[in-house]
Amino acid sequence: MIVMGGIIGAGIFTNPYVVAQQVHTPLLILGAWAVGGLIALAGAFIYAELSSQSSESGGQYVYLRDALHPLVAFGYGWSLLFVIQTGGMAAVALIFANHVFELVGAQVTDVRAALLASAALALLTIINCIGVRAGSVTQNLFMVLKLIAIGVLVAFGLMISHPAQGATVPTALAPASTLQMLIAFGAALIPAQFAYGGWQTACFVAGEVREPRRNLPRGLLFGVLGVIVVYLSVNYVCVHALGADGLAQTKTPASAVMRLALGEKGGRFLAAGIAISTIGFLSQSMLTAPRVYFAMADDGLFFKQLAWLNRARVPAIAIALQGGLAIVIVLVASRFEQILNYVVSVDVIFFALTAVCVFVFRRRNPRGDFFRIPGHPFTTLFFIAACCVITFSVVYKEPLNTAISLGIMLAGLPAYFVWAWLRKRRERIDLS
């Protein structure tokens, strides 16, 4: 349940339509989600091995710093603040906004969704800066709401006796080359990868698991396999009820399925559950990235103010900056799929670089007593290759989007050298 709880978020209720926009047959849609699950499983094993060798706060930042170079680690932290974390928050906020409009029966436009998402981000940022904690009971309640919503969706979706015509009649498409099909499938993995995001929490679980070398891989295997089953079930129901074409045309596919099954009240019931659980997920995610900023500041490579804790022991400045940048992304991009490409294009690059750390650490400590990835090096190389395919696909499909996000990532290079110079200057002053 810990692994599943770390993965299942808001993406599964929305991302099926983004996948369907890239690949246009039920088989390829379900195939993208199956392959995305295998990538998540390989990634979880990688992070489990890395975390079993280090208990230092900062996670991925620490692995990149110790295995590759502080410059790479800084690039990750920089990208986390300006692209990955803030972009992810913006995407989830738009999911919330779209389902709120679905709930009240109002027409959804990109501008309206962006404004409501910005308001939600601003409110949650203020609440988290003050230090109001939802607590484990509330977070567990949000998790239960998500599981109930998924269970209701699958159960009633399968009961639809007259599914959409597109579910049984494949769409006529122009012949595509093998390269075009691979690029399209790689692009379909982008939203799937976003929805499966959360297997990184394996790096926080390892130190708390009894007999981690035996229990951790077992928990990861069954947890991720359970999520794969859940996600494939949701997507099968969406394709069954809406058809591949219908699925590609609705931004709230889960609510659309429930509307077919139970009428307008059913659609609004599910929209309410999704909106509530999304807010809980968004609020919790605001508190994770400051760990990385703290590690960077502790290394003397970032603003120390971002690691400052207020009276409520909350990194208020870091949270406020995150929230402000997320609002900017929402207002500038305003479209969910655009933000998705903006985030994943950079995220998968650092996933691949983090997987490379496994080879570095094993070479340094070949006989170390730590959890080892099953099937290494093949599973690790599969994960790296998958990240490369996704990166190539998003660059090919969305060159402008990726140029912006990669440009922001590369802007961290001169910033690193500035902070490194300032750190050395402070060290010289302290010695004198």
Side-chain angles (χ1 to χ4, degrees):
M1 282 299 293
I2 294 175
V3 177
M4 293 181 69
I7 296 175
I8 299 176
I12 185 55
F13 298 112
T14 296
N15 287 5
Y17 96 88
V18 189
V19 173
Q21 287 180 336
Q22 302 298 332
V23 289
H24 310 287
T25 66
L27 181 61
L28 288 176
I29 291 171
L30 295 177
W33 286 97
V35 173
L38 294 177
I39 296 171
L41 182 60
F45 283 140
I46 289 168
Y47 277 66
E49 175 168 326
L50 292 171
S51 65
S52 68
Q53 300 178 69
S54 173
S55 59
E56 187 177 346
S57 178
Q60 194 170 345
Y61 170 83
V62 174
Y63 312 147
L64 293 168
R65 181 195 66 193
D66 295 346
L68 301 181
H69 192 277
L71 173 60
V72 181
F74 179 88
Y76 166 70
W78 176 275
S79 300
L80 191 71
L81 177 60
F82 290 99
V83 180
I84 301 171
Q85 182 75 3
T86 49
M89 289 165 51
V92 173
L94 282 175
I95 294 176
F96 164 77
N98 285 325
H99 283 90
V100 167
F101 283 114
E102 186 82 12
L103 175 63
V104 300
Q107 183 181 2
V108 184
T109 65
D110 290 341
V111 175
R112 286 183 176 183
L115 291 175
L116 181 57
S118 299
L121 284 169
L123 180 60
L124 287 173
T125 298
I126 293 171
I127 292 173
N128 280 281
C129 285
I130 294 173
V132 178
R133 298 182 180 180
S136 60
V137 175
T138 307
Q139 293 303 320
N140 290 336
L141 177 61
F142 286 134
M143 181 60 191
V144 170
L145 281 174
K146 281 183 283 189
L147 293 177
I148 291 175
I150 290 172
V152 169
L153 171 65
V154 173
F156 284 97
L158 290 174
M159 293 171 59
I160 297 176
S161 56
H162 299 288
Q165 190 177 18
T168 56
V169 180
T171 305
L173 297 173
S177 67
T178 302
L179 179 60
Q180 288 174 325
M181 291 181 63
L182 287 175
I183 292 172
F185 194 79
L189 290 176
I190 296 168
Q193 183 73 28
F194 184 86
Y196 277 109
W199 44 262
Q200 305 95 309
T201 54
C203 65
F204 299 111
V205 174
E208 303 170 10
V209 176
R210 293 181 180 178
E211 299 183 39
R213 285 195 294 175
R214 182 172 67 91
N215 293 328
L216 185 58
R218 183 182 303 173
L220 287 167
L221 177 63
F222 289 112
V224 176
L225 287 178
V227 174
I228 294 173
V229 171
V230 169
Y231 282 12
L232 286 176
S233 299
V234 171
N235 279 274
Y236 175 80
V237 165
C238 288
V239 172
H240 168 76
L242 304 174
D245 289 342
L247 177 58
Q249 294 169 11
T250 175
K251 293 185 177 182
T252 53
S255 299
V257 171
M258 286 300 293
R259 196 180 301 108
L260 287 175
L262 299 177
E264 197 65 34
K265 290 183 178 179
R268 292 185 179 183
F269 167 79
L270 194 68
I274 295 171
I276 294 171
S277 63
T278 299
I279 283 293
F281 181 82
L282 184 60
S283 179
Q284 183 69 11
S285 68
M286 285 186 173
L287 299 175
T288 56
R291 296 180 181 183
V292 175
Y293 311 145
F294 178 86
M296 294 172 70
D298 193 51
D299 288 341
L301 293 174
F302 220 35
F303 296 113
K304 288 191 175 182
Q305 291 85 346
L306 294 181
W308 174 78
L309 302 178
N310 62 12
R311 292 182 180 178
R313 307 299 297 170
V314 170
I317 296 178
I319 294 173
L321 180 60
Q322 276 185 164
L325 290 172
I327 291 172
V328 170
I329 293 172
V330 166
L331 294 175
V332 171
S334 76
R335 289 174 54 244
F336 174 78
E337 54 270 29
Q338 186 177 353
I339 296 175
L340 205 63
N341 293 323
Y342 172 79
V343 172
V344 176
S345 59
V346 171
D347 205 11
V348 292
I349 291 175
F350 287 104
F351 281 156
L353 290 172
T354 305
V356 173
C357 296
V358 173
F359 295 95
V360 177
F361 285 134
R362 284 205 179 193
R363 185 177 180 181
R364 292 177 183 173
N365 189 17
R367 297 183 180 180
D369 184 21
F370 51 81
F371 167 76
R372 293 179 180 269
I373 303 166
H376 178 83
F378 302 106
T379 48
T380 308
L381 292 173
F382 161 73
F383 179 79
I384 294 172
C387 290
C388 292
V389 169
I390 294 173
T391 302
F392 176 78
S393 298
V394 70
V395 169
Y396 183 86
K397 286 275 187 178
E398 298 287 342
L400 179 60
N401 248 354
T402 51
I404 294 172
S405 56
L406 293 176
I408 293 173
M409 179 186 74
L410 293 175
L413 294 177
Y416 167 80
F417 289 110
V418 170
W419 261 294
W421 177 78
L422 290 173
R423 182 180 64 178
K424 289 182 179 180
R425 184 181 179 185
R426 286 195 300 268
E427 290 173 352
R428 287 196 298 266
I429 293 173
D430 292 340
L431 289 174
S432 61

